Amino acid sequence: MSETIRTERLAALYADAVSAAENSYSPYSKFRVGAALLLTNGQVVTGTNVENVSYGLSICSERSAIARAVAEHGPGMRIAAIAIANLNGAASTPCGACRQVIAEFADADTPVLFPAADGVRTFALDQIFPLAFEADLKK
Ligand code: THU
């Protein structure tokens, strides 16, 4: 069970995601996305989407933030909250691939913020990613 994070802290994390989207490399979709992770150690790590002319090689903001967080904080890093934002004024939930990767480093009740049709919403990870694939393969 994760610790409850104050609403103001989550709002600041969302603002960090908006700032991260400014660096988006998205010349093909022009969809500028940013993600901000609040780690359990209190640090914030951001990421943005990085596209490629070979479209399938593009990486979403969430996964770029997670790769950066592991690089900077090591394999034990854990996500206390994640915010995703875009500069396109679009409602946008994290894609399925990103939900699986978030689940690797987060708990069922970890807050996930994103812009929905009615404004920024916060869901527990297991609300948007129920029945996650989990296998005990870390031997
Ligand atoms: N994208 C993200 O960065 N995160 C998401 O959760 C959904 C999609 C990116 C991938 C691609 O660069 C662009 O948005 C359009 O799909």
Side-chain angles (χ1 to χ4, degrees):
M1 182 80 167
S2 305
E3 259 179 63
T4 306
I5 301 166
R6 289 175 37 235
T7 308
E8 297 79 7
R9 185 71 202 80
L10 292 176
L13 192 68
Y14 189 80
D16 289 335
V18 173
S19 298
E22 296 282 349
N23 281 342
S24 171
Y25 179 77
S26 45
Y28 306 104
S29 74
K30 314 228 173 346
F31 196 59
R32 301 169 74 197
V33 193
L37 312 176
L38 175 64
L39 305 185
T40 54
N41 69 7
Q43 298 290 301
V44 172
V45 177
T46 62
T48 191
N49 57 328
V50 181
E51 297 185 346
N52 191 271
V53 64
S54 177
Y55 295 174
L57 300 182
S58 301
I59 185 167
C60 293
S61 65
E62 298 91 321
R63 281 176 291 141
S64 89
I66 288 169
R68 183 180 181 187
V70 172
E72 290 182 353
H73 295 274
M77 79 85 182
R78 297 290 297 171
I79 299 169
I82 174 169
I84 302 112
N86 68 75
L87 301 184
N88 298 61
S92 181
T93 68
C95 81
C98 288
R99 294 178 202 201
Q100 181 71 53
V101 176
I102 293 165
E104 185 80 14
F105 298 100
D107 297 329
D109 61 350
T110 297
V112 182
L113 286 77
F114 54 82
D118 53 352
V120 179
R121 298 280 307 275
T122 304
F123 288 86
L125 178 59
D126 68 353
Q127 288 180 283
I128 63 163
F129 194 53
L131 302 175
F133 171 66
E134 291 170 315
D136 189 15
L137 303 177
K138 291 182 190 161
K139 298 224 172 77

